[in-house]
Amino acid sequence: MAEVVLPRSLVVLFPDVPRRLSVEAASVAELIQALDRRTPGMADRLLTAGPAIREHINVFVDGEIAALDTPLAAGSTVHVIPAVSGG
């Protein structure tokens, strides 16, 4: 089971979702699918139609940048972080 840390900007869109939760998944793609089953619409906020992780969303697994096919180990920590930009 992986621990997922979601950004505040995402959980305000889904009021019943905690910022930290445990999810059973073998990859980042499975983790996002599991989040979407639990909270319909979550995958639309994280993925493009490709599917691919949205351009301004970063996913880290155990401190390393991740892709959809990145495997998750038991006890992995996954951070979903929106990009910050400005001028």
Side-chain angles (χ1 to χ4, degrees):
M1 197 161 292
E3 178 159 338
V4 184
V5 182
L6 299 171
R8 197 172 329 271
S9 60
L10 183 61
V11 297
V12 297
L13 301 172
F14 303 99
D16 294 332
V17 176
R19 286 206 58 216
R20 290 181 169 267
L21 60 150
S22 295
V23 176
E24 186 70 42
S27 68
V28 170
E30 286 183 21
L31 180 134
I32 293 172
Q33 291 170 357
L35 288 172
D36 195 63
R37 280 192 300 277
R38 177 182 173 150
T39 307
M42 178 97 41
D44 291 336
R45 296 293 179 162
L46 300 174
L47 302 176
T48 63
I53 297 171
R54 288 193 177 276
E55 180 180 2
H56 298 291
I57 299 289
N58 296 301
V59 177
F60 291 85
V61 174
D62 298 325
E64 300 290 328
I65 192 76
L68 289 175
D69 61 350
T70 299
L72 301 176
S76 284
T77 300
V78 180
H79 288 268
V80 177
I81 302 173
V84 178
S85 61

